[in-house]
Amino acid sequence: MKIVICGAGLVGTSIAEHLANENNDVTVIDQNEALVRKISESQDVRGVVGLASLPNILERAGIADADMLIAVTFADEVNMVACQIAHSLFDVPLKIARIRQQEYLSPIWADLFSRENMPIDNIISPEIEVARAINRRLSVPGALDVVPMADNRAVVVGVRCDEDCPIIGTPLKQLTELFPGLLMTILAIIRDGVGVVPSSHEMLNVGDEVYFVCGVDYLQRSMAAFGHEETEARRIVVAGAGNIGLKLAQEIETAHPGVSTRMIERDPERARVVAGALPKSVILNGDILDVDILEEADITTAETFIAVSNDDEVNFISCLLAKRYGVKRTIALINKMTYAPLIRSLGIDVAVNPRVITVSSILQHVRRGRVRNLHSVQEDFGEVLEVEVLETSSLAGKTVKESKLPPGVLLGVRLRGEEIVVVRGNTDFIAGDRLVLFATYEAVKKVEKLFAVRFDFF
């Protein structure tokens, strides 16, 4: 597949790395010559220096015969114009754009991105995606990560194994005996920052971060199996009223009407604007790190503190202050991956990385046709995928034992009609089945081949 990526920032670089490692023909455009040189030297991609919204720059990047354009520059307008030119002048089949300015995404302007006006096939809004990701974590207390799958009939959850986890030291193959009838499968483990695809003999250690998939009706029992039986927070303090903070508070007001939300925002004008958009929340104007403001926000009674300012350091420190006041759970927005090793040692419960979430959203659209849903598990490890078995798939008509699964792939659950089952060695597959599985990045391309489709499928 030939792909042109506009923007060599963190998101553009991550996407280029993933796609190039899967033997796609990737070209990256950016005005910053140093960024273009860096990605060209470190990855098997071609670099073009220039403004991505100019037709001659796009042409130099090979847009004329490209299968896809991914526009993720820092300027929404450049992303939109690049997609328009890719459509109008070069007839590119698939165009994806990152749009951050929320005014463009207002429902009253829904026709703006129609094929007749500004033809963008898929729009990614990091602020909306991050707000939804945090809200899902609020719905499952104790979870590090929550991703709905299979039309909300299954869910992938990340949890941390604490000292009181009842299955520490237990071989995974014994979980079926310990929890009979529990529709749950462990897909991946992050241990000391390193990803592990578990075998049936694997045992969990204290501190492991585990990703499992289960039927939604089994979620509560699955969380209890890992020692997580926390109750949902009823009093929340949100630090930072930017686009992410505003979207998050709106999500909370809609999805959790009984929750009391207080928000702290340093800029007085922004605080006034947000106050007008959040009728059920209390907005306080002040410094997040000011003890008086935290006390005014009634931090001592809060059960969850969420820091989503634009400053990673402020998010870190404010979470530590919240812990000092007795807040049970803290969630911090972290952009710099260099801080990742500090999260556990500082006592922050959940870190949310906008780049990983945005890349997952974009890759989901890149893998269209074979993959219905996708979520990245640690940036350099792998992906949880929801795939459909088609008549042309090599799995159709076979059982797991008869299938030749590549190394680094672990099947989780199978959905057939209304039935959900945990995949075992004798589980069979027919056309129309949906599977939730984990694949390391080295195995993703092989997984796509397993679920290959005819050209007329598109």
Side-chain angles (χ1 to χ4, degrees):
M1 185 180 291
K2 186 170 184 178
I3 302 168
V4 175
I5 299 174
C6 303
L10 295 176
V11 172
T13 299
S14 295
I15 296 168
E17 180 180 353
H18 289 314
L19 297 179
N21 288 339
E22 296 167 18
N23 298 319
N24 292 292
D25 182 352
V26 179
T27 302
V28 178
I29 304 172
D30 200 284
Q31 286 183 286
N32 189 317
E33 185 176 354
L35 289 178
V36 172
R37 187 187 311 114
K38 181 179 179 181
I39 192 172
S40 299
E41 293 174 352
S42 62
Q43 304 296 328
D44 185 18
V45 303
R46 178 170 167 251
V48 174
V49 178
L51 184 61
S53 57
L54 296 178
N56 62 313
I57 298 297
L58 287 166
E59 186 176 41
R60 195 193 311 168
I63 196 70
D65 57 349
D67 301 292
M68 182 184 310
L69 175 78
I70 302 174
V72 288
T73 73
F74 290 109
D76 290 351
E77 292 75 17
V78 170
N79 296 338
M80 292 189 289
V81 172
C83 288
Q84 180 71 68
I85 291 173
H87 173 79
S88 301
L89 299 183
F90 300 103
D91 198 27
V92 176
L94 181 63
K95 301 160 289 293
I96 300 171
R98 178 175 64 180
I99 306 295
R100 308 190 69 169
Q101 185 60 255
Q102 297 304 301
E103 281 73 9
Y104 286 127
L105 305 177
S106 174
I108 63 174
W109 314 122
D111 291 339
L112 175 62
F113 300 107
S114 66
R115 191 169 182 83
E116 294 74 23
N117 296 322
M118 191 171 292
I120 301 176
D121 300 292
N122 298 109
I123 293 173
I124 305 299
S125 169
E127 288 77 11
I128 293 176
E129 298 291 340
V130 170
R132 287 174 177 169
I134 296 175
N135 184 55
R136 290 195 297 267
R137 288 164 171 83
L138 295 176
S139 300
V140 186
L144 302 174
D145 209 348
V146 181
V147 186
M149 292 275 178
D151 302 325
N152 294 315
R153 291 159 57 200
V155 61
V156 173
V157 180
V159 295
R160 183 178 293 118
C161 295
D162 298 322
E163 290 80 0
D164 57 352
C165 175
I167 56 176
I168 291 293
T170 303
L172 299 188
K173 64 180 180 180
Q174 293 183 12
L175 294 184
T176 303
E177 301 171 14
L178 291 173
F179 304 97
L182 180 60
L183 204 164
M184 184 268 288
T185 300
I186 293 177
L187 295 173
I189 301 171
I190 309 296
R191 179 172 294 154
D192 298 324
V194 179
V196 176
V197 181
S199 68
S200 60
H201 301 285
E202 190 72 53
M203 292 187 290
L204 300 180
N205 299 332
V206 174
D208 284 354
E209 295 179 5
V210 177
Y211 278 79
F212 67 84
V213 60
C214 68
V216 290
D217 295 334
Y218 298 83
L219 178 55
Q220 190 171 351
R221 282 188 62 197
S222 297
M223 291 296 290
F226 289 93
H228 289 284
E229 299 184 83
E230 300 91 335
T231 57
E232 190 171 339
R234 310 308 295 172
R235 293 177 295 278
I236 297 173
V237 174
V238 178
N243 286 333
I244 292 177
L246 173 58
K247 287 295 177 185
L248 174 60
Q250 289 173 332
E251 290 268 338
I252 294 173
E253 286 190 353
T254 302
H256 311 276
V259 172
S260 169
T261 305
R262 293 176 180 266
M263 177 175 283
I264 303 172
E265 169 55 40
R266 185 170 188 171
D267 181 80
E269 181 57 34
R270 178 63 180 176
R272 281 191 289 270
V273 171
V274 171
L278 297 171
K280 300 177 183 178
S281 303
V282 176
I283 314 301
L284 302 174
N285 174 221
D287 189 343
I288 298 168
L289 303 181
D290 187 334
V291 172
D292 292 334
I293 287 295
L294 288 174
E295 291 179 350
E296 187 178 348
D298 210 7
I299 192 70
T300 56
T301 66
E303 296 159 313
T304 298
F305 180 87
I306 308 171
V308 288
S309 78
N310 294 323
D311 190 315
D312 283 3
E313 289 79 5
V314 169
N315 293 339
F316 260 121
I317 297 172
S318 61
C319 282
L320 297 181
L321 284 172
K323 280 289 187 180
R324 184 181 177 186
Y325 277 97
V327 176
K328 297 178 181 177
R329 192 180 190 210
T330 56
I331 300 174
L333 188 73
I334 303 297
N335 289 280
K336 301 174 185 175
M337 292 304 294
T338 51
Y339 288 141
L342 301 175
I343 294 167
R344 286 284 310 281
S345 60
L346 290 175
I348 295 172
D349 298 294
V350 180
V352 178
N353 188 300
R355 176 173 39 149
V356 173
I357 293 171
T358 303
V359 169
S360 290
S361 300
I362 292 173
L363 289 178
Q364 178 180 334
H365 297 299
V366 170
R367 306 195 201 285
R368 68 194 177 95
R370 290 153 288 206
V371 176
R372 301 173 67 103
N373 204 347
L374 175 156
H375 182 71
S376 295
V377 177
Q378 194 162 294
E379 201 166 13
D380 58 353
F381 184 28
E383 298 171 353
V384 175
L385 306 166
E386 179 192 337
V387 295
E388 182 177 353
V389 178
L390 303 168
E391 292 179 2
T392 50
S393 170
S394 61
L395 266 66
K398 296 180 181 179
T399 64
V400 174
K401 291 180 180 178
E402 297 169 339
S403 305
K404 294 182 180 180
L405 295 176
V409 175
L410 187 58
L411 303 181
V413 296
R414 185 201 70 189
L415 297 94
R416 178 179 294 171
E418 298 300 317
E419 178 193 41
I420 304 179
V421 298
V422 171
V423 175
R424 306 296 185 195
N426 59 354
T427 303
D428 66 321
F429 308 111
I430 61 173
D433 285 350
R434 280 195 263 173
L435 302 175
V436 177
L437 58 88
F438 173 80
T440 61
Y441 280 121
E442 293 78 10
V444 165
K445 198 69 178 179
K446 296 176 182 178
V447 169
E448 286 194 308
K449 290 181 180 179
L450 281 176
F451 298 91
V453 297
R454 301 179 302 270
F455 281 96
D456 59 3
F457 177 79
F458 297 101

